[in-house]
Amino acid sequence: MNIIKNIKVPTGNILIVEGDKGNLECLSIGDYGRNENVKAQFLGLNKDVNGVANGECMSLEEKWVVTISTQYGCSSGCKFCDVPKVGKGINATYDDIRNQIETSLLLHPEVGGTKRLNIHYARMGEPSWNPNVLAATRDLHKIVRPHIGNSLIHPIFTTMCPAKNSSLFKILNEWTVDIKNDLYRGDAGLQLSINSTSDCQRDDMFGGSAKSLKEISDIVKDLPEPIGRKYALNFALADSYEVDAKKLRELFDPRKCMVKITPLHMTHSCEENNIKTTGGYKSFVPYKKVERELINEGFDVLIFIPSSDEDEGRITCGNAILSGTLPECEYEIIKDMK
Ligand code: SF4
């Protein structure tokens, strides 16, 4: 796969690559380790995260994160995301998916194996529209073996549950039954973007393009009990957006679902729409009450805070260099074939 642009940011590389139908974007990045930017009492990580200092990532042999695009642009209307600025969502091909993973791994031929390779279908696009995501996930071991041998792979499917996708249950059922529980024996994730427990606020945030909470709850009720990590209900915690723990408990079973909270990432769209998590990058205060209330309702709660290098490096969700942005931290353009 042809690399059109390679931007080196503090925690890895952002690649613009030539796909079968146009340009795609993928990431190869490192991770600080969960002791640095995660609070999750159910995992024994009990320290409040009052901001995360920029630092060194663990070696890629310890953990490697590859994030790829499943579509060229996106047709969802999420107001916090820059990807729709790239164009409408056209599905990436099977080869596009495989090639993005291989191209990311080939950046580091010196790394012959890793204790954990996370593959996130979360750069550009809504993966539930693209059946090639499931087909490629079934083949991931075959795809990565020439590069990192039999390393552990952990694929993660993140969806905002598009209102118009009548096949959503079918796809999520296939992901959970065949892939997460069977093929990967629990070592695969499903994350559902919730963001607010108010359907009115959700309609605003997702531009009316997501299913209602009740519809999502009905889908999750019919999914199997998860093996391994529970299904994650994701909350990008915007100021004044409602997180009603009791309401969430009525809709989602804490034995099946956990809650993951992050600050809203600082995308151009967030700036334009004035959506933010005030103080959320420096202090644990915005998360404290909601964490306590969710735990009281029986949920496992994981709070992930990126460092400024990670957020300004534009490796977090909702960013896309193809939308016309560039990192706002130190970066180096290693290759640029305009
Ligand atoms: S958050 Fe995901 S689904 Fe929403 S517009 Fe961005 S890429 Fe599309």
Side-chain angles (χ1 to χ4, degrees), residues 74 76-78 80-81 83-84 123-126 160 318:
C74 190
S76 301
C78 312
F80 48 87
C81 180
V83 177
R123 189 57 174 177
M124 295 201 300
E126 163 49 49
M160 45 71 78

Side-chain angles (χ1 to χ4, degrees), residues 70-71 73-85 89 121-127 129 158-162 193 195 205-206 209 317-319:
T70 56
Q71 293 189 303
C74 190
S75 299
S76 301
C78 312
K79 274 167 85 173
F80 48 87
C81 180
D82 287 347
V83 177
K85 294 176 193 287
Y121 297 111
R123 189 57 174 177
M124 295 201 300
E126 163 49 49
W129 292 114
T158 303
T159 175
M160 45 71 78
C161 301
S193 301
N195 290 359
M205 198 179 227
F206 293 103
S209 60
C317 290
N319 282 293

Side-chain angles (χ1 to χ4, degrees), residues 3 6 48 78 101 127 154 184 298 310:
I3 298 178
N6 178 351
D48 288 355
C78 312
I101 295 167
H154 187 90
Y184 285 82
E310 289 175 303

Side-chain angles (χ1 to χ4, degrees), residues 190-202:
L190 172 64
Q191 304 198 6
L192 308 163
S193 301
I194 305 293
N195 290 359
S196 165
T197 48
S198 149
D199 274 319
C200 192
Q201 289 177 343
R202 282 173 42 78

Side-chain angles (χ1 to χ4, degrees), residues 78-81 158-160 191-198 201-202 205-206 232-243 248 258-267 270 274-278 280-281 286-287 290 294 301-306 311 316-318:
C78 312
K79 274 167 85 173
F80 48 87
C81 180
T158 303
T159 175
M160 45 71 78
Q191 304 198 6
L192 308 163
S193 301
I194 305 293
N195 290 359
S196 165
T197 48
S198 149
Q201 289 177 343
R202 282 173 42 78
M205 198 179 227
F206 293 103
L233 307 171
N234 281 3
F235 283 82
L237 198 72
D239 293 353
S240 78
Y241 273 63
E242 176 191 281
V243 185
L248 202 69
M258 47 92 62
V259 176
K260 182 177 170 196
I261 302 174
T262 62
L264 264 166
H265 304 132
M266 293 180 248
T267 63
C270 279
N274 195 27
I275 314 176
K276 57 182 186 299
T277 314
T278 303
Y281 280 85
Y287 312 104
V290 65
L294 288 164
V301 180
L302 184 150
I303 296 144
F304 172 84
I305 316 290
D311 212 48
T316 47
C317 290

Side-chain angles (χ1 to χ4, degrees), residues 9-13 28-38 45 52-67 108 114 116-120 154 156 229 260 302 304-307 310 315-316:
V9 291
T11 57
N13 298 71
S28 156
I29 45 179
D31 190 291
Y32 293 142
R34 59 190 194 181
N35 286 331
E36 298 302 317
N37 45 15
V38 171
L45 300 166
V52 175
N54 293 325
E56 289 292 315
C57 291
M58 298 186 291
S59 70
L60 295 178
E61 284 86 353
E62 283 293 315
K63 185 171 175 188
W64 199 342
V65 180
V66 168
T67 304
H108 294 282
T114 179
R116 184 182 174 101
L117 172 68
N118 274 12
I119 302 222
H120 290 268
H154 187 90
I156 299 148
R229 181 69 64 90
K260 182 177 170 196
L302 184 150
F304 172 84
I305 316 290
S307 69
E310 289 175 303
I315 59 148
T316 47

Side-chain angles (χ1 to χ4, degrees), residues 67-113:
T67 304
I68 66 162
S69 299
T70 56
Q71 293 189 303
Y72 295 78
C74 190
S75 299
S76 301
C78 312
K79 274 167 85 173
F80 48 87
C81 180
D82 287 347
V83 177
K85 294 176 193 287
V86 179
K88 63 179 183 185
I90 295 166
N91 282 345
T93 63
Y94 175 95
D95 284 348
D96 285 336
I97 292 173
R98 188 193 60 207
N99 289 340
Q100 288 178 84
I101 295 167
E102 291 206 89
T103 306
S104 303
L105 296 178
L106 279 166
L107 286 180
H108 294 282
E110 75 283 5
V111 180

